[in-house]
């Protein structure tokens, strides 16, 4: 698999620029929910746990299930501010999908509007819990714009073959527990990056759909054991090789702390699909 077609050099400023955007805050703090306190421990060197294709996988990160944020105290650090990368589709580098009718949706596997493409791959549900890190409360009504590459490592709107598609991009508003849910597919691993999902947090859906003020831009990392299982399936040609050539420690976004605030908890299996959950402190 080759990496996605690159945009003009002045838009993708490379490793030096990406490293300059990394602002790490505090070490992983306490996360409490429903009277149960847990202190995150040490991960392995690659921040993963052992799994089989049909088993449940977890990662050491301050994330929570949807029920854990309802009527419960939440203590979580701010998620690091990261680069949106060269393929945001938010108008900052070429195409702007945010102002198009149809962008507010939960199922992002299909293109919308005049496009008709469908992204295929291992099913993945992404659940983000958006939290005000200063006040330790869920941010009901906040909006999340989420996007990622397909099983071939291509980004809709930008990469060769999918410039006329807009799949794997969508906006959702947080419910009363701060949760947004996206139905999607597991992204590929392309050369030079750890498998990841991009997102931007906005104060509201209205702010997101006018490509307005961004509250936080960050990325979600996926655990190595789950990635290895998915990349052994059909449709992810080259991903296993690309995964083997990088690591969380060496990634130019997650590398300085092994993605401790961004490594999602993932459960499920290839047959029924996976669920990736992450608490996002803003």
């Amino acid at each position: 698999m080759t990496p996605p077609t690159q945009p003009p050099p002045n838009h993708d400023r490379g490793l030096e620029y990406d490293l300059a955007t990394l602002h790490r805050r505090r070490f992983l703090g306490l996360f409490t929910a429903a009277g149960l306190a847990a202190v995150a421990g040490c991960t392995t060197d690659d921040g993963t746990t052992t799994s089989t294709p049909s088993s449940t996988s977890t990662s050491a990160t301050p994330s929570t299930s949807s029920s854990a944020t309802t009527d419960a105290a939440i203590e979580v650090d701010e998620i690091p501010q990261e680069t949106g990368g060269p393929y945001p589709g938010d108008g900052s580098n070429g195409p702007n999908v945010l102002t198009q009718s149809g962008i507010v949706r939960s199922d992002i596997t299909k293109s919308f509007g005049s496009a008709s493409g469908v992204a295929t791959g291992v099913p993945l549900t992404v659940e983000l819990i958006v939290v005000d890190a200063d006040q330790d409360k869920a941010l009901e009504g906040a909006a999340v714009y989420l996007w990622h590459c397909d099983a071939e490592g291509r980004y809709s709107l930008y990469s060769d073959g999918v410039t006329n598609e807009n799949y794997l991009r969508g906006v959702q508003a947080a419910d009363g527990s701060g949760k947004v849910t996206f139905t999607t597919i597991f992204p590929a691993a392309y050369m030079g990056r750890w498998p990841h999902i991009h997102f931007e947090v906005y104060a509201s859906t209205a702010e997101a759909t006018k490509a307005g003020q961004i509250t936080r831009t960050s990325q979600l990392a996926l655990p190595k054991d789950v990635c290895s299982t998915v990349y052994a399936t059909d449709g992810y040609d080259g991903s296993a090789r690309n995964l083997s050539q990088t690591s969380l420690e060496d990634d130019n976004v997650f590398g300085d702390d092994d993605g401790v605030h961004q490594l999602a908890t993932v459960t499920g299996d290839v047959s029924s699909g996976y669920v990736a959950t992450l608490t996002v402190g803003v």
Side-chain angles (χ1 to χ4, degrees), residues 116-215:
S116 59
V118 178
T120 59
V122 172
L124 175 67
T125 299
V126 178
E127 296 181 348
L128 302 182
I129 313 298
V130 186
V131 177
D132 184 323
D134 291 331
Q135 300 185 42
D136 295 330
K137 68 176 185 179
L139 281 177
E140 180 179 5
V144 175
Y145 166 45
L146 181 142
W147 74 97
H148 61 83
C149 70
D150 64 16
E152 296 181 47
R154 305 174 302 177
Y155 283 86
S156 66
L157 303 176
Y158 293 90
S159 301
D160 288 345
V162 292
T163 55
N164 293 323
E165 302 296 345
N166 51 29
Y167 57 52
L168 305 183
R169 299 178 184 274
V171 171
Q172 278 284 286
D175 64 15
S177 63
K179 184 175 75 170
V180 295
T181 302
F182 294 92
T183 300
T184 186
I185 63 163
F186 208 94
Y190 56 83
M191 191 178 300
R193 280 302 317 275
W194 188 259
H196 61 282
I197 293 173
H198 294 268
F199 60 90
E200 295 171 347
V201 180
Y202 293 82
S204 65
T205 302
E207 194 70 17
T209 54
K210 69 178 183 180
Q213 181 66 42
I214 301 170
T215 302

Side-chain angles (χ1 to χ4, degrees), residues 219-232:
Q219 298 179 29
L220 173 154
L222 292 160
K224 183 178 182 180
D225 54 350
V226 180
C227 291
S228 296
T229 300
V230 171
Y231 298 156

